[in-house]
């Protein structure tokens, strides 16, 4: 099957079946032998997610009747076709002929003329028109634009603009294997341009690269992790000998960073057994050891009979609105109603984990959300109902006085993230 046909199937799976792009794309990439073809499939699939409303609009203006049921796949093929014509440098004749060929390969021989006609029409047209409709203008769902306007009256447009960018690639040095300076020197030797970040282990690549190009990646020299996520281990401050709970641990990025940073006993807990397999794989590659536990973080009593924890990292399930630049499909998969449900689960997990924290212990609450509902408001409500909880100031935070630290997308090249550090009173 050609790349456009595969791309239409990927986009169909995400937009019609609610699958996540990061799950579906690798399955389809596996059908392509050539690295360049795999990269083009990713570019087309991610690209469509970034500018979906403009492409939808472009198609609906040119079709007399929308495609329905099984033929819906053709709508997604047209999205791929329009994306190539408007947003890539692929020559129009190649974009159109490959997309028309994909129509045949997908078994829609009878629609070849329609697909060809629509794409030729798009080719002759101007770029998409200016519009005052927020969804079309910003390629962001209306409900989210509304929430961002309310939360960030001065910077919401910048947040959206940053969320539409292609993300940089950050690495985390495995300090158990070499110093960051040593690894940066090894990268320089093979002409990979990288610079040190703000946290102890972070390195920013000038250009994203395949991990197979990185020195000793398979042996655990480094991991791929945004600097915003690397703040978790820094802020948690794990100390040798401590017992630590990572309450929502899979796929284990932050667990592994904690284990690289100190000689601790770490329980990596998650309620998703499949995702927990990734924690084991990551620990294995990095030469680390964790106790892996599949349980509901809002009720671990039946699965954990051990002592209370010195420190807890609670990287809660969230809207992921801070990482839209990495996962643009979130814009279309996430719905306004999800936020209330997430807020409830976060509160339940917070309350339960608090019980398992030693007096004097620290709980670091984290999300990759930029919505106050899941962040500052969540923590304000928790502190108000939890007499033995005190919020500590995070000194790295630039804005003093706010509840916790809200990192916005693009700030110091980072993903959007939130941290709040809570300490339990000794009574
Ligand atoms: C933001 S991700 C965690 C990312 C992880 N900390 C890392 O750095 O690789 C949130 C995780 O919470 C898990 N989760 C969701 N609800 C949960 C629950 N009730 N109990 C335990 N884990 C849960 C999900 O399976 C998901 O793996």
């Amino acid at each position: 099957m050609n790349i456009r046909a595969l791309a239409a199937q990927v986009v169909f799976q995400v937009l019609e079946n609610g699958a996540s792009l990061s799950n579906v794309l690798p399955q389809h990439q596996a059908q392509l032998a050539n690295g360049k073809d795999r990269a083009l499939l990713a570019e087309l699939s991610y690209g469509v997610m970034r500018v979906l409303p403009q492409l939808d609009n472009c198609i609906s203006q040119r079709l007399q009747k929308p495609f329905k049921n099984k033929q819906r796949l053709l709508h997604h093929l047209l999205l791929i076709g329009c994306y190539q014509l408007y947003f890539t440098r692929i020559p129009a004749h190649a974009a159109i002929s490959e997309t028309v060929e994909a129509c045949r390969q997908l078994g829609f021989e009878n629609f070849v003329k329609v697909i060809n006609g629509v794409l030729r029409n798009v080719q002759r047209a101007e770029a998409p028109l200016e519009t005052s409709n927020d969804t079309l203008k910003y390629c962001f769902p209306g409900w989210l634009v509304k929430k961002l306007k309310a939360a960030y009256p001065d910077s919401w447009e910048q947040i959206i603009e940053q969320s539409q960018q292609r993300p940089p690639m950050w690495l985390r040095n495995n300090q158990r294997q070499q110093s960051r300076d040593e690894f940066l020197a090894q990268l320089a030797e093979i002409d990979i341009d990288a610079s040190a970040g703000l946290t102890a282990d972070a390195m920013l690549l000038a250009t994203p690269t395949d991990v197979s190009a990185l020195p000793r990646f398979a042996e655990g020299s480094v991991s791929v992790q945004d600097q915003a996520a690397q703040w978790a281990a820094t802020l948690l401050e794990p100390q040798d000998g401590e017992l630590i709970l990572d309450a929502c641990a899979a796929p284990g990025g932050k667990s592994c960073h904690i284990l690289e940073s100190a000689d601790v006993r770490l329980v990596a807990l998650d309620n998703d057994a499949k995702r927990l397999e990734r924690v084991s794989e990551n620990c294995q590659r990095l030469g680390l050891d964790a106790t892996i536990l599949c349980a509901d973080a809002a009720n671990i009593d039946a699965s954990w009979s051990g002592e209370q924890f010195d420190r807890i990292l609670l990287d809660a399930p969230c809207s992921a609105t801070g990482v839209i630049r990495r996962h643009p499909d979130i814009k279309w998969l996430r719905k306004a109603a999800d936020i209330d449900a997430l807020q409830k689960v976060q509160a339940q997990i917070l309350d339960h984990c608090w019980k398992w924290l030693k007096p004097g212990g620290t709980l670091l609450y984290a999300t990759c959300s930029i919505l106050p509902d899941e962040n500052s408001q969540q923590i304000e409500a928790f502190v108000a109902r939890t007499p033995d909880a005190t919020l500590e100031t995070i000194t790295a935070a630039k804005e003093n006085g706010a509840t916790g630290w809200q990192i916005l997308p693009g700030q110091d090249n980072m993903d959007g993230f939130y941290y709040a550090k809570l300490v339990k009173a000794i009574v």
Side-chain angles (χ1 to χ4, degrees), residues 101-301:
E101 173 56 24
C103 177
R104 280 198 189 92
Q105 292 186 7
L106 291 167
F108 293 100
E109 182 72 45
N110 292 347
F111 288 87
V112 160
K113 270 195 181 158
V114 180
I115 299 296
N116 191 47
V118 170
L119 293 180
R120 296 238 171 257
N121 191 307
V122 171
Q123 184 196 359
R124 286 191 296 270
E126 301 282 313
L129 291 177
E130 289 287 311
T131 166
S132 57
N133 171 313
D134 276 354
T135 303
L136 261 181
K137 186 170 168 187
Y138 298 109
C139 290
F140 244 64
W143 69 268
L144 189 49
V145 176
K146 204 167 149 200
K147 270 192 168 293
L148 292 176
K149 278 183 181 174
Y152 305 98
D154 300 325
S155 54
W156 63 272
E157 258 181 311
Q158 198 188 338
I159 293 171
I160 291 178
E161 193 195 313
Q162 285 296 328
S163 301
Q164 289 289 89
Q165 302 300 315
R166 282 147 209 265
M169 183 166 170
W170 284 95
L171 299 179
R172 184 186 82 232
N173 181 54
N174 181 355
Q175 52 182 276
R176 291 194 181 268
Q177 293 214 4
Q178 70 278 308
S179 73
R180 175 169 67 180
D181 283 349
E182 282 165 349
F183 196 78
L184 284 169
Q186 290 170 16
L187 289 177
E189 269 172 33
I190 52 171
D191 288 330
I192 293 183
D193 190 2
S195 53
L198 295 173
T199 54
D201 305 309
M203 296 172 282
L204 180 63
L205 295 185
T207 313
T209 183
D210 196 275
V211 289
S212 59
L214 301 170
R216 294 172 292 102
F217 179 82
E219 289 77 45
S221 57
V222 282
S223 300
V224 177
Q225 189 178 43
D226 193 274
Q227 179 174 255
Q230 296 190 42
W231 274 105
T234 308
L235 296 173
L236 188 68
E237 296 183 274
Q239 305 296 315
D240 288 352
E242 287 183 337
L243 178 66
I244 297 193
L245 172 67
D246 185 351
C248 293
K254 298 180 191 73
S255 283
C256 290
H257 195 196
I258 294 166
L259 287 163
E260 287 166 1
S261 309
D263 292 324
V264 297
R265 292 170 294 144
L266 182 125
V267 178
L269 183 144
D270 204 281
N271 67 351
D272 185 330
K274 193 89 197 118
R275 280 171 67 87
L276 274 173
E277 287 172 13
R278 301 267 313 280
V279 182
S280 307
E281 288 160 16
N282 282 324
C283 282
Q284 201 169 11
R285 182 181 67 85
L286 294 161
L288 304 166
D289 192 23
T291 301
I292 298 198
L293 196 61
C294 189
D296 177 0
N299 183 11
I300 65 170
D301 298 358

Side-chain angles (χ1 to χ4, degrees), residues 143 319 333-344 374:
W143 69 268
S319 62
L333 294 177
R334 198 58 81 213
K335 303 288 173 235
D338 297 344
I339 307 302
D340 273 359
L342 283 163
Q343 228 181 341
K344 285 196 184 94
E374 302 175 275

